[in-house]
Amino acid sequence: MTVGLVIQNLNLKPGGCIRVQGEVAADPKSFTMNLGKDENNLNLHFNPRFKLYGDVRKLIFNSRKAGAWETELRDSVFPLEPGSIIEVCVSFDEAELTTKLPDGHIFKFPNRHNVDVINYLEIHGDLKLKCLMFE
């Protein structure tokens, strides 16, 4: 796995938002955004799979606790296109993490670990980062 970006000590509180703008590769397999306490404790693993592990055009959402993956959720709505410029915004509160995708698609994922601060962000894969904002 090639890591493109890792940020630690974010101190993102409930109500805050991480906005990522980037360009999807012309022939992508997948990209990943991980948010949480650290690489072994993730509140959100967001993994759009264009064609990877037998998945074609699937959104994968999961969490990780003490290095162990938890139950993954999938969304068959796939508003991402190869070669496109996209914006993904992730916000959270005590109950859930909300991922806003292109074309107004919204996916809500439970805050399984009841985390009240996000300190870790990792982005890698077939997405060329253009802009990263914390709101």
Side-chain angles (χ1 to χ4, degrees):
M1 171 182 68
T2 303
V3 175
L5 172 74
V6 174
I7 299 175
Q8 299 180 32
N9 301 315
L10 283 177
N11 199 33
L12 185 71
K13 306 273 189 204
C17 174
I18 296 173
R19 187 177 307 272
V20 175
Q21 294 173 345
E23 182 177 355
V24 177
D27 187 25
K29 291 181 181 171
S30 77
F31 68 87
T32 298
M33 287 179 56
N34 290 322
L35 297 138
K37 179 181 175 186
D38 55 42
E39 66 183 311
N40 290 311
N41 296 283
L42 301 174
N43 289 60
L44 179 66
H45 167 77
F46 170 60
N47 180 216
R49 295 181 183 170
F50 292 83
K51 47 188 171 191
L52 185 70
Y53 303 130
D55 291 317
V56 177
R57 298 181 59 84
K58 296 286 183 195
L59 297 177
I60 310 299
F61 296 84
N62 206 344
S63 55
R64 189 174 187 176
K65 189 163 189 166
W69 290 110
E70 298 181 293
T71 303
E72 112 183 344
L73 301 178
R74 293 169 169 254
D75 193 343
S76 60
V77 173
F78 199 86
L80 308 173
E81 295 296 330
S84 65
I85 303 292
I86 64 164
E87 181 174 286
V88 176
C89 183
V90 179
S91 59
F92 82 105
D93 61 27
E94 295 77 19
E96 60 198 7
L97 293 99
T98 301
T99 304
K100 295 179 185 174
L101 299 168
D103 297 336
H105 185 66
I106 295 174
F107 188 89
K108 296 187 179 281
F109 187 81
N111 186 350
R112 294 174 171 168
H113 306 155
N114 299 314
V115 170
D116 58 0
V117 66
I118 291 177
N119 281 316
Y120 179 83
L121 169 66
E122 174 188 351
I123 301 171
H124 65 271
D126 297 324
L127 181 70
K128 182 178 179 183
L129 190 62
K130 297 284 189 184
C131 183
L132 177 63
M133 295 174 277
F134 303 98
E135 302 171 347

